[in-house]
Amino acid sequence: MPEYFLWFDLLGIAVFAISGTLAAWRNHMDGFGVIVLASVTAIGGGTLRDLILDVPVIWINNNTYFYAIFVAAIGTILLVRNRLTIPNNTLQIADAFGLAFFVIMGTQKALDHGTSSMVAIMLGTMSGVCGGMIRDVLCREVPMVFRGELYAVTCIFGGIIYTSLLALAVPQLYAMLAGMLGLLLLRLAAIKWHITIPVFGKHHQELNEP
């Protein structure tokens, strides 16, 4: 496995741990809650992906992932404790970077185990969104992916870019970077300009409100 695979994985873990820590801070959780939320956000999606692929879960024999989680969580705690305010979209931006790393890495891992491109994109998307879903459920919120956010669509978009470039024989590293960048830019654009997808039942509810 190329060394940059591990670095992309660790970057994804760290950024999702930051996302989980920010969610814990926003919901006034204690230190244990911070570590739990940072951990499930960081490794939840990858764990589910590996269970579906029937391969060893990524963190079982590699403590490095937990070191990345703890360092990211502690660094985020120190940052937020020394700031009076944190911008409202900070959690979403951190989450977007985590998606960029995790979706492409999850897609590649699925391809490594013999899946089709379509299944690989689905498992890559699952790698990216499921940790955040667990985080939001533990925070008693509707998961971001179900709130009309342009979220899972960006994961699929990034996965399509990546697998398409691989099919065109583009070097793997360049294909990965292009997939990550495409996903990230689309997600950041959705955050900045509030691009959403229709929410089922919302229009009907508005029509029936007095």
Side-chain angles (χ1 to χ4, degrees), residues 9 19 24 97 115 139 166 172 198:
D9 243 356
S19 169
F97 278 91
T115 69
C139 292
L166 288 181
Q172 186 181 54

Side-chain angles (χ1 to χ4, degrees), residues 8-57:
F8 283 153
D9 243 356
L10 291 176
L11 284 170
I13 289 283
V15 175
F16 266 148
I18 292 170
S19 169
T21 304
L22 290 173
W25 169 79
R26 189 180 62 186
N27 285 275
H28 309 291
M29 295 186 180
D30 61 18
F32 180 73
V34 169
I35 295 300
V36 169
L37 216 58
S39 298
V40 299
T41 307
I43 63 177
T47 299
L48 184 57
R49 175 203 64 217
D50 290 347
L51 291 174
I52 291 174
L53 288 171
D54 195 24
V55 298
V57 177

Side-chain angles (χ1 to χ4, degrees), residues 115-198:
T115 69
S116 67
S117 293
M118 180 179 294
V119 172
I121 292 169
M122 291 172 60
L123 288 174
T125 299
M126 187 179 297
S127 300
V129 305
C130 286
M133 288 174 62
I134 298 171
R135 174 199 65 210
D136 292 343
V137 169
L138 291 177
C139 292
R140 294 183 294 180
E141 299 175 355
V142 177
M144 197 180 299
V145 69
F146 297 144
R147 283 183 275 170
E149 296 273 352
L150 200 66
Y151 194 80
V153 171
T154 66
C155 300
I156 296 169
F157 178 69
I160 289 173
I161 292 176
Y162 178 54
T163 55
S164 298
L165 291 177
L166 288 181
L168 294 172
V170 172
Q172 186 181 54
L173 178 58
Y174 296 150
M176 279 189 166
L177 293 174
M180 290 175 185
L181 184 61
L183 189 163
L184 180 62
L185 291 178
L186 182 59
R187 180 65 188 132
L188 292 178
I191 294 170
K192 180 175 178 59
W193 290 296
H194 306 288
I195 304 171
T196 61
I197 57 177

